[in-house]
Amino acid sequence: MAGVGLGQLLLALDATLVSLVESPRGLDLPVGSAALIDSDDVRLGLAAAAGSADVFFLLGIGSENQDEALRWMDRQARDRVPVAIFAKDPSAALVGAAVAAGSAVVAVEPRARWERLYQLVNHVLEHHGDRADATEDSGTDLFGLAQSLADRIHGMVSIENAQSHVLAYSASNDEADELRRLSILGRAGPPEHLEWIGQWGIFDALRASDGVVRVAERPELGLRPRLAVGIYQPAVDPSRPPAFAGTIWVQQGAQPLAADAEEVLRGAAVLAARIMARLAARPSTHTRRVQQLLGLIDGEPDVAAVAGELGLAADGDAALIGWDTDTKADTATGTAPRRARLADVMALSASAFRRDAQVAARGPRIYVLLPQTQTRAATSWVRGTMSAMRDELGVQLRAAIAAPAGLGEIGAARIEVDRVLDSAARHPISVGQVTSLAEARTTVLLDEILTMVGREQRLVDPRIADLCVREPALAETLRVYLDSFGDVGAAARSLHVHPNTVRYRVRRVEELLSTSLADPDVRLLFSLGLRVAGNG
């Protein structure tokens, strides 16, 4: 197991559960395993068996057995220095001994249940952060989904299983109410809260349908407004209804939830069900199959077999959308850090639009496959998603659409989409924010030709390069004249000069370059050279 960085682990656990006291070796050390050590283990010397763990949870260690804990820390440091120790109300002496040995110290909220923390840490280690297999993405990361949903709709999210045990959650702030804090800590919610929620039939409503349920604010109980949606998974027997698998809760803070919060929450429920199913049936092949279909990994896919595994119709048309961020706008608005979760956020929107939508990413580029979707519907969804991303996250996007395309053609369509987005990255003005392959083909082909010629200076006529340096006004006149197909009047109007001025400058160019612009080959060669010079 590659593990996750200590800082990454603490961010996933959230300040509700833990807080960093000291970290003498920084926050980048990898954590791949955890062990529980209680006071009897320390007293009886039984903790050595767990000595190879990266982090330790020190249970029941207080002032009455502090000396034993310090001796354990000393022995542990001689064998293998822990990355971190977790303790409730760690004493100054324990912190000092750990820091001297090189271990970080993490304080655990006193009300937290140790078994809950242990389960969450192991969940994070298995399904969050770096992976040994580079082809795997966050498709099994409930924490990532919770945080992406929170970022998208501006609420605090928790994901629970059918037994109301919290599986993952987004970062909390000081607006989190007591019910949320206690749920994360692994403690039962306040009885009056649970009784009120039960009386109003909220649990029954969540188990009865996949619709979004609104939970009103109760100021007298300190209960903030919430949205909730049930998570449902298909039954093993197709004749039976989907099975209730859990709930996604969204607590509202001072900031209103996004206008489309309910729609996005329904999409999140689809993704949560998919992730929970993958976790239950590890190792998952879902992400790899989507990547094979898009041609993102080596190997020719068996389209019919892959479609069957993904639950898609092998003979149906689909729309493929490639997404890129506008890096300059992203940096200017300070939203670059949000790009890391953009694929998860995009999956929320896609799954709300079509339950069978498939999402994959390579680097900063995201691909969305929408089965059984024609160009007009795909374009409408793309424009709506682009607007929502801009308004809710401040992220500027660019999209290229390939539709309609059969599943067997998706790999080739993805290559064409990449060509459009690559061209748009080089020349954003030439390619619109939302475009199709047909609309951009001329622009893309010309851009690729100019890029290829520009890499080989020997393919650019040296006379043009010299003219651009020595006589820029003549070079600009020549470019406009060629673009105007030799129409002197049109070129003069574009340049805001008299037609005789254009005629004089064209003759001057012919004299300086010792050539005639009546030759079509000369005009083509000069036009390409001028465009390459302009691109540079």
Side-chain angles (χ1 to χ4, degrees), residues 78-323:
R78 288 199 298 268
D79 296 332
R80 184 171 183 265
V81 176
V83 172
I85 60 171
F86 289 63
K88 294 183 178 181
D89 295 323
S91 67
L94 181 59
V95 172
V99 170
S103 292
V105 179
V106 179
V108 178
E109 157 62 41
R111 294 180 297 173
R113 297 183 67 92
W114 279 111
E115 67 271 25
R116 182 76 194 109
L117 177 61
Y118 185 68
Q119 291 168 357
L120 283 171
V121 166
N122 279 292
H123 181 89
V124 173
L125 296 183
E126 291 180 31
H127 311 299
H128 189 75
D130 299 335
R131 291 179 171 274
D133 186 353
T135 63
E136 295 290 338
D137 62 10
S138 57
T140 54
D141 185 5
L142 285 174
F143 279 91
L145 173 62
Q147 190 60 56
S148 297
L149 179 60
D151 289 344
R152 174 64 175 79
I153 65 175
H154 314 310
M156 286 172 279
V157 177
S158 59
I159 302 175
E160 298 180 355
N161 63 14
Q163 292 73 44
S164 297
H165 296 156
V166 176
L167 301 176
Y169 47 85
S170 65
S172 300
N173 56 37
D174 55 8
E175 296 164 359
D177 61 21
E178 191 68 357
L179 179 58
R180 174 179 172 82
R181 286 194 293 268
L182 289 177
S183 297
I184 291 174
L185 292 171
R187 300 288 178 180
E192 60 270 29
H193 289 184
L194 299 180
E195 181 181 357
W196 179 81
I197 292 174
Q199 286 178 348
W200 278 82
I202 294 168
F203 290 129
D204 292 337
L206 289 169
R207 292 175 178 272
S209 77
D210 58 359
V212 175
V213 177
R214 287 188 171 269
V215 182
E217 183 176 21
R218 289 294 299 267
E220 71 275 17
L221 297 177
L223 190 67
R224 302 299 301 266
R226 277 172 167 74
L227 294 181
V229 67
I231 303 169
Y232 286 83
Q233 292 180 343
V236 177
D237 182 356
S239 65
R240 299 178 64 84
F244 178 78
T247 308
I248 301 179
W249 296 90
V250 182
Q251 185 213 306
Q252 180 178 327
Q255 182 180 7
L257 298 178
D260 58 352
E262 292 193 18
E263 179 185 2
V264 176
L265 189 54
R266 287 193 295 270
V270 174
L271 290 178
R274 190 179 292 169
I275 291 172
M276 290 165 71
R278 292 175 203 161
L279 293 178
R282 291 192 313 267
S284 169
T285 59
H286 183 95
T287 298
R288 190 181 298 276
R289 293 295 177 258
V290 177
Q291 291 172 333
Q292 285 179 337
L293 202 58
L294 296 177
L296 294 173
I297 58 177
D298 294 337
E300 192 70 24
D302 182 335
V303 174
V306 171
E309 289 188 45
L310 298 177
L312 309 177
D315 57 351
D317 284 337
L320 177 67
I321 301 97
W323 299 85

Side-chain angles (χ1 to χ4, degrees), residues 361-386:
R362 181 166 66 179
R365 188 161 294 170
I366 302 166
Y367 306 93
V368 176
L369 177 65
L370 300 176
Q372 309 294 329
T373 305
Q374 298 299 309
T375 305
R376 179 175 296 181
T379 301
S380 177
W381 174 75
V382 166
R383 293 190 184 280
T385 300
M386 187 174 287

Side-chain angles (χ1 to χ4, degrees), residues 387-401:
S387 176
M389 294 289 187
R390 182 182 61 250
D391 295 344
E392 302 297 344
L393 296 180
V395 176
Q396 299 287 345
L397 295 172
R398 185 179 291 112
I401 304 171

Side-chain angles (χ1 to χ4, degrees), residues 42-54:
V42 172
R43 181 174 56 84
L44 300 174
L46 301 177
S52 61
D54 294 318

Side-chain angles (χ1 to χ4, degrees), residues 56-77:
F56 292 87
F57 302 127
L58 304 186
L59 285 63
I61 304 296
S63 56
E64 69 278 5
N65 53 10
Q66 176 177 284
D67 290 341
E68 292 171 345
L70 294 176
R71 285 194 293 272
W72 171 81
M73 188 71 237
D74 181 64
R75 290 194 303 272
Q76 189 64 39

